[in-house]
Amino acid sequence: MKRLYHTQEMVKEGLPVMAVSLTVGVVAGLLLDKGQGTLLALPGVLLLLPALVDMGGSLVAVLTSRLDSALRLNLIRPRLKHNHMLDMDEEAILASSLIGFFALAVLAALFSWMVGAATLPFAALAAVVVVVGVAR
């Protein structure tokens, strides 16, 4: 009986990705811990964290599922060379990110203003949210 999954190959391919993910998570946690005082002083910025994580994860999930579908339908090959379809997907995700994260900054600023919470000036808040969101 032919095995569909080979454990050694899965571990060999997945371990480096998991190591990078673990390292990034630890560094992010350390940075958040170091900036805890700033975050507590600016609750308007603090309320952005769950939304940033959620939106970033959703955008990555969309790109991943499109890539998976294209691979399964043989629209693209698993090769490391230029592919026009992937370029279009990347452009769509980038445009969605810019619009979505800017809208998030607007909502956070509006909410902070409504409840009287301290936050960054809007230009700085928008710049931080868009850069962090797109870089994610």
Side-chain angles (χ1 to χ4, degrees), residues 28-130:
L30 290 171
L31 290 173
L32 280 173
D33 183 54
K34 193 169 187 97
Q36 186 176 11
T38 304
L39 287 174
L40 293 175
L42 298 170
V45 175
L46 186 60
L47 71 90
L48 287 169
L49 291 178
L52 276 171
V53 170
D54 184 53
M55 282 181 66
S58 296
L59 290 169
V60 169
V62 168
L63 183 60
T64 303
S65 67
R66 287 185 54 82
L67 178 62
D68 182 56
S69 296
L71 283 167
R72 291 181 185 275
L73 293 171
N74 289 324
L75 298 174
I76 60 172
R77 294 263 189 243
R79 304 277 187 260
L80 293 175
K81 62 182 187 179
H82 185 75
N83 186 304
H84 181 66
M85 190 173 129
L86 292 179
D87 287 344
M88 291 188 321
D89 284 350
E90 289 171 359
E91 291 168 4
I93 293 295
L94 179 61
S96 298
S97 296
L98 291 172
I99 294 167
F101 288 117
F102 183 77
L104 177 62
V106 170
L107 290 174
L110 183 63
F111 180 76
S112 297
W113 174 76
M114 287 171 44
V115 298
T119 190
L120 296 171
F122 179 72
L125 182 68
V128 167
V129 171
V130 170

